[in-house]
Amino acid sequence: MDALVAGDTMPEAGAGRVGRVRIALYGAANLPTSVVGLPIALYVPAFYSQNLGLSLAAVGALLALSRLTDVVTDPLIGILSDRWRTPFGRRKPWMVAGTPLMVLSLWMLFVPDSAVSIAVWSALGGSGVDNLYLFVWISALYLSFTLVDLPYRAWGAELSPDYDERSRVTGWREAFGYGGTMMSLIIPLAIAFGLARPGAENALYGVAFAVLVLMPLLTFPAIAFVREPPIRGVTTPHVTWARGLKIVWGNGPFRRLVICLTFFATGISMTASMSFFFVQRVMEQAFDRYAIFVLAYYISSTVAIPVWFHISKKLGKHRTVVLGIAWLSLWSSFIPLLGPDDFALFFVIMLLKGSAIGALVFLPTSMAADIVDLDTLRTREQRTGLYFSLWGMVNKGATALGVFIATAGAAYMGFDPQSEANDATAKMSVALLYSIIPAIIACIALPLLWRYPLNRDRQERMRGFIERRDARMREVAETGTNA
């Protein structure tokens, strides 16, 4: 089988395509969860340190520590969603179960002073918003993400076996995701300008209310109208956490891609967690200008996704990601040279830099879906949930690591988010943690990505072999039944 991966036979015609309507319905479910993601990085550290008085270093540490539960929950839910068989599907029940927890924990985290939050926290024995409050509700929110997002992404990886259509599925999903991201930025702008209530506290309230409305509206149509595809390969046997980890770590391309993900997810997270402090304290701009800037940044990212998709069809996914990292690093190098009088130039640079983010989000996920085919080819089993659980665990862990490195580094260098009189050293540390250092970390992945072994031709050969093998297995089963 490994010889097949190296290239010796051509595939037969693939299965039917998913279709744009189903891809759109599937992708739309990513919008409400994506509304949540960015405010956690942009506003939660600022809100809990500036408004509620918690230490910035403590907030960063708690955000990182809350990810430790993912070491257990992600592989567990991934394995269970692979093995669970219901008329409703393997992935969808988890999404239904996780949605109420996501809505509750999001409200508790984003709107801690509401009557509902106070009542719920009091019923649990808590008193006031402190480090324990933050840790409990950010951990609950991350657990709900695991319940909803992990099966959702495994479902997306299984929608199509086609190399390019997988990129289309992830592209639509991430485009809706960026739509959610832009909503998380438009909402604070609308509140700041329309209601004259700027600030992180009001931004988080608006985001929480939007998610409360959007979750059922966009999640349940996908669950109702987009079918899960039939399982390819044989039924997955019981796999322990340790055995599952050994299986996926033995997959060389997956191991290489996960290492790369660790580096560039850490870098992206550092940039996001420092952006508010950089614009407010280094560039000396007001909250409303910050919201406009971040909105433009992610519009640039979204608009560039079709461009990166077109490039990936020419260069391959892995080398397109390399190009995206190089493009991001190029424009990051200018940022520490800018000051408060250079905001217009900074705005242009960030539009150019932001255009790279799309390549670093949807293409690696599409590459991970290709890797599952290699495992199915070798083992005759389909462990998409297990693979994406470990993928999500590493992604979330790297994101938390980025927040911790950035916030702890800034605090160590004397940066005070509540002070308007930080010295030059503290401001420069924020600038470097926002730009140069994340770019350097992301660039560590370049050699591993450039020599990545799975390209379009190899994936198509794998897919063709799997389809022919599954067809033979169905014929044998039908013959045995008829006999």
Side-chain angles (χ1 to χ4, degrees):
M1 293 181 185
D2 290 338
L4 178 68
V5 177
D8 60 345
T9 60
M10 294 301 292
E12 296 175 353
R17 297 198 174 257
V18 179
R20 291 185 178 181
V21 174
R22 286 196 294 164
I23 291 177
L25 284 173
Y26 166 79
N30 194 36
L31 191 149
T33 55
S34 299
V35 174
V36 178
L38 191 62
I40 294 176
L42 296 184
Y43 300 129
V44 167
F47 175 55
Y48 276 82
S49 62
Q50 288 184 334
N51 295 65
L52 300 180
L54 276 64
S55 162
L56 177 61
V59 170
L62 290 169
L63 292 177
L65 287 173
S66 63
R67 290 296 197 181
L68 293 179
T69 57
D70 294 336
V71 175
V72 176
T73 59
D74 279 33
L76 176 63
I77 293 172
I79 291 171
L80 290 176
S81 72
D82 279 340
R83 298 179 62 223
W84 205 5
R85 305 289 187 269
T86 74
F88 195 42
R90 292 191 297 168
R91 315 300 181 188
K92 296 176 182 179
W94 299 95
M95 298 173 63
V96 173
T99 297
L101 178 61
M102 178 176 289
V103 171
L104 173 65
S105 56
L106 176 70
W107 188 267
M108 297 294 293
L109 180 67
F110 282 17
V111 196
D113 58 348
S114 70
V116 172
S117 299
I118 294 171
V120 171
W121 187 233
S122 297
L124 295 174
S127 177
V129 179
D130 52 13
N131 288 341
L132 178 62
Y133 182 97
L134 173 60
F135 180 75
V136 167
W137 293 113
I138 190 66
S139 298
L141 182 59
Y142 286 151
L143 173 61
S144 71
F145 265 113
T146 299
L147 290 169
V148 173
D149 198 57
L150 191 159
Y152 172 70
R153 291 181 181 274
W155 177 21
E158 295 163 347
L159 278 180
S160 174
D162 182 75
Y163 181 87
D164 287 322
E165 191 169 46
R166 278 179 174 162
S167 294
R168 190 172 294 110
V169 170
T170 54
W172 275 72
R173 182 181 66 214
E174 298 310 325
F176 275 107
Y178 274 116
T181 298
M182 286 187 286
M183 281 192 63
S184 72
L185 300 168
I186 293 171
I187 290 169
L189 276 175
I191 293 174
F193 288 106
L195 302 179
R197 298 180 64 183
E201 179 179 7
N202 297 314
L204 290 174
Y205 175 83
V207 168
F209 185 80
V211 173
L212 183 67
V213 174
L214 290 173
M215 279 294 290
L217 287 180
L218 295 181
T219 300
F220 291 112
I223 291 173
F225 299 113
V226 182
R227 293 184 178 181
E228 293 187 25
I231 300 171
R232 301 164 68 195
V234 299
T235 302
T236 305
H238 175 71
V239 178
T240 64
W241 184 92
R243 174 59 179 162
L245 183 61
K246 184 177 180 180
I247 288 170
V248 297
W249 193 249
N251 188 320
F254 184 77
R255 183 171 64 244
R256 181 187 293 249
L257 191 58
V258 160
I259 293 172
C260 295
L261 172 68
T262 301
F263 289 120
F264 54 72
T266 298
I268 291 173
S269 176
M270 290 178 66
T271 297
S273 61
M274 284 290 102
S275 64
F276 183 87
F277 301 122
F278 180 80
V279 173
Q280 183 187 56
R281 299 304 186 202
V282 179
M283 300 302 293
E284 300 178 1
Q285 302 297 317
F287 176 87
D288 52 356
R289 298 197 75 179
Y290 168 73
I292 293 172
F293 145 70
V294 180
L295 175 62
Y297 180 82
Y298 280 94
I299 288 176
S300 172
S301 301
T302 305
V303 170
I305 285 179
V307 177
W308 291 114
F309 177 69
H310 179 74
I311 294 173
S312 72
K313 296 180 75 171
K314 303 294 183 182
L315 297 182
K317 299 174 188 177
H318 60 294
R319 292 188 174 171
T320 303
V321 175
V322 169
L323 182 61
I325 292 175
W327 183 256
L328 179 145
S329 302
L330 169 66
W331 298 109
S332 295
S333 63
F334 296 102
I335 292 174
L337 305 176
L338 304 177
D341 296 331
D342 303 316
F343 186 76
L345 178 59
F346 167 71
F347 193 88
V348 173
I349 290 175
M350 291 309 295
L351 290 180
L352 294 169
K353 177 175 177 284
S355 65
I357 300 298
L360 305 186
V361 173
F362 87 91
L363 285 175
T365 305
S366 179
M367 292 165 66
D370 297 334
I371 290 170
V372 178
D373 281 345
L374 178 59
D375 182 71
T376 302
L377 174 68
R378 290 173 172 172
T379 67
R380 301 188 179 216
E381 299 169 8
Q382 190 174 27
R383 302 188 182 93
T384 313
L386 175 59
Y387 272 86
F388 272 80
S389 70
L390 294 174
W391 177 264
M393 182 179 71
V394 171
N395 189 21
K396 289 184 285 188
T399 300
L401 178 62
V403 173
F404 175 73
I405 291 173
T407 55
Y412 178 78
M413 296 303 296
F415 176 73
D416 182 359
Q418 294 180 305
S419 174
E420 296 182 2
N422 288 284
D423 60 24
T425 300
K427 290 182 177 180
M428 180 54 69
S429 70
V430 171
L432 293 175
L433 288 165
Y434 174 66
S435 57
I436 298 293
I437 296 175
I440 292 173
I441 291 174
C443 284
I444 297 174
L446 294 182
L448 290 172
L449 280 172
W450 188 256
R451 302 179 68 85
Y452 183 75
L454 288 183
N455 56 23
R456 177 184 289 102
D457 291 340
R458 292 181 178 181
Q459 192 275 338
E460 288 179 347
R461 283 191 286 269
M462 289 191 298
R463 185 193 63 181
F465 183 87
I466 292 169
E467 289 175 354
R468 292 192 296 273
R469 185 180 66 190
D470 289 352
R472 289 195 299 269
M473 292 173 62
R474 285 193 296 270
E475 289 176 3
V476 171
E478 291 172 359
T479 301
T481 301
N482 294 334

